[in-house]
């Protein structure tokens, strides 16, 4: 069943592969930039980096405690602390760029199926490297 579906959609995969590769390269660049920012911040100002990390952990612990017990306070919408600390954390490289949502789209009905067929079509091109332990 899969081979027939992949054969029918073979013409689409070259453009789709180019788009997927561009997104992957942008993700790698974002991670590298974040790592460089984090390293520079830790090297140039270790006290600032430690303070930002501790403040971030404290805020996340308070938010998590609120979800465990809703009677505990939660930051109000007009409180700008979360927005301001986000800018500082990103500038210091203390965030995960892969978890950030840059744009939102409508839910595409057959997107998982298309991605599955794309992966099935690309599997024959992959080789396992025993020395590195990666595909």
């Amino acid at each position: 069943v899969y081979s027939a579906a992949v054969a029918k959609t073979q013409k689409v995969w070259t453009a789709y592969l180019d788009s997927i590769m561009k997104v992957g390269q942008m993700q790698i660049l974002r991670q590298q930039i974040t790592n460089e920012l984090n390293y520079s911040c830790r090297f140039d100002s270790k006290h600032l980096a430690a303070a930002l990390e501790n403040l971030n952990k404290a805020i996340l612990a308070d938010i998590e405690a609120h979800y465990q017990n809703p009677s505990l306070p939660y930051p109000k919408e007009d409180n700008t602390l979360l927005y301001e600390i986000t800018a500082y954390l990103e500038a210091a490289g203390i965030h995960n760029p892969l978890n950030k949502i840059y744009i939102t789209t409508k839910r595409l009905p057959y997107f998982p199926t298309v991605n599955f067929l794309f992966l099935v079509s690309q599997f024959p091109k992959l080789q396992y490297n025993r020395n590195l332990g990666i595909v």
Side-chain angles (χ1 to χ4, degrees):
V1 174
Y2 300 134
S3 59
V6 169
K8 288 180 182 179
T9 57
Q10 195 66 34
K11 296 176 186 175
V12 179
W13 298 139
T14 54
Y16 196 70
L17 177 63
D18 290 339
S19 299
I20 294 291
M21 287 176 45
K22 285 180 184 176
V23 169
Q25 289 169 352
M26 286 187 266
Q27 287 179 333
I28 291 171
L29 283 173
R30 284 188 180 110
Q31 283 183 316
Q32 292 298 326
I33 291 169
T34 299
N35 288 337
E36 183 62 32
L37 286 171
N38 193 330
Y39 176 76
S40 295
C41 181
R42 288 179 190 277
F43 185 75
D44 293 336
S45 181
K46 59 184 170 187
H47 296 297
L48 175 64
L52 285 172
E53 285 180 5
N54 287 332
L55 180 60
N56 188 37
K57 287 178 186 176
I59 292 172
L60 289 176
D62 286 346
I63 292 172
E64 195 171 302
H66 168 75
Y67 283 114
Q68 298 294 327
N69 184 2
S71 65
L72 295 174
Y74 185 81
K76 303 269 190 264
E77 289 292 325
D78 58 347
N79 187 352
T80 61
L81 174 67
L82 293 178
Y83 302 111
E84 290 175 5
I85 193 67
T86 300
Y88 285 110
L89 291 172
E90 288 178 355
I94 306 172
H95 74 290
N96 186 351
L98 299 181
N99 289 342
K100 186 168 175 118
I101 298 172
Y102 294 96
I103 59 170
T104 57
T105 61
K106 294 179 184 175
R107 213 174 254 266
L108 301 173
Y110 297 106
F111 189 68
T113 307
V114 170
N115 281 333
F116 173 73
L117 289 174
F118 173 71
L119 285 175
V120 168
S121 72
Q122 298 302 311
F123 278 147
K125 299 177 183 178
L126 301 176
Q127 292 182 343
Y128 180 72
N129 187 332
R130 187 178 303 212
N131 295 330
L132 297 176
I134 59 172
V135 176

